Amino acid sequence: MASSLKNLSDFSTASDIPSAEDFTFGIAVAEWNAEVTGALYKGAFDTLVKYGAKEENIHSYPVPGSYELVASADLLLQTGKFDAIICLGCVIQGETRHFDFICDAVANGLYTVGVKYAKPVIFGVLTTNDQQQAIDRAGGKHGNKGDEAAVTAIKMAKLAAKLKE
Ligand SMILES: Nc1c(NC[C@H](O)[C@H](O)[C@H](O)CO)[nH]c(=O)[nH]c1=O
Ligand SMILES: CC(=O)[C@@H](O)COP(=O)(O)O
């Protein structure tokens, strides 16, 4: 469903969102398009805290670009310290096919890392045609994908914990 039809920050009809108090989160944030990724990060951090995460259990790591999110997620999960990794980035179409290669590499790479460690790795990366579409999804009229990524991380961390019981 297009973001224009479902606000990224509206969880009013969501199934119950569990408490995040028992979980430790890593957040990797790409520095490209920093005004957008900074808003994504604030949304994710504030949402984790809103649902009970302790601030000392939220660990954030800037990386150069979205392409580096894959390696950062792997490095973070190697530590064994995190219940979920949230990866935040903003890839905006330019003049060349570079956009396509980055988006494909990041989407497939994050999927692979999540499977490799059997841990939630959340794809909080905007892949937009222009900057306005990114702004609209980073706290603008369509909500904040960082909020959505945080709620997804909480739900998946809870599921993983339940399955280990
Ligand atoms: N154009 C964008 C990039 N490009 C940089 C790559 O992510 C990467 O850092 C570089 O290719 C070196 O490995 N990154 C974004 O996050 N967003 C863009 O729009
Ligand atoms: C997604 C990108 O790497 C892109 O913004 C770079 O721009 P260009 O394709 O014009 O080099």
Side-chain angles (χ1 to χ4, degrees), residues 30-85:
E31 294 173 323
W32 259 77
N33 301 309
E35 68 284 356
V36 172
T37 61
L40 296 177
Y41 171 74
K42 185 179 189 310
F45 184 94
D46 290 351
T47 300
L48 290 174
V49 172
K50 175 182 177 180
Y51 289 104
K54 304 180 182 74
E55 293 195 18
E56 60 266 29
N57 291 340
I58 303 172
H59 305 272
S60 304
Y61 304 89
V63 298
S66 293
Y67 188 82
E68 283 70 40
L69 290 171
V70 179
S72 63
D74 196 306
L75 290 166
L76 291 174
L77 289 174
Q78 284 179 34
T79 69
K81 296 178 179 178
F82 301 100
D83 296 298
I85 304 296

Side-chain angles (χ1 to χ4, degrees), residues 90-95 99-100 103 126-134 137:
C90 175
V91 189
I92 299 175
Q93 178 66 61
E95 298 175 348
F99 172 89
D100 299 329
C103 293
L126 294 173
T127 56
T128 65
N129 297 314
D130 56 44
Q131 188 175 34
Q132 188 58 52
Q133 286 183 344
R137 290 157 177 78

Side-chain angles (χ1 to χ4, degrees), residues 9 34 45 54 91-93 96-97 109 111 115 117-118 127 158:
S9 301
F45 184 94
K54 304 180 182 74
V91 189
I92 299 175
Q93 178 66 61
T96 71
R97 295 173 57 217
Y111 160 81
V115 170
Y117 291 94
T127 56
K158 182 66 174 182

Side-chain angles (χ1 to χ4, degrees), residues 11-33:
F11 304 109
S12 55
T13 59
S15 57
D16 288 343
I17 299 171
S19 170
E21 64 181 334
D22 297 330
F23 302 126
T24 298
F25 301 92
I27 306 180
V29 189
E31 294 173 323
W32 259 77
N33 301 309

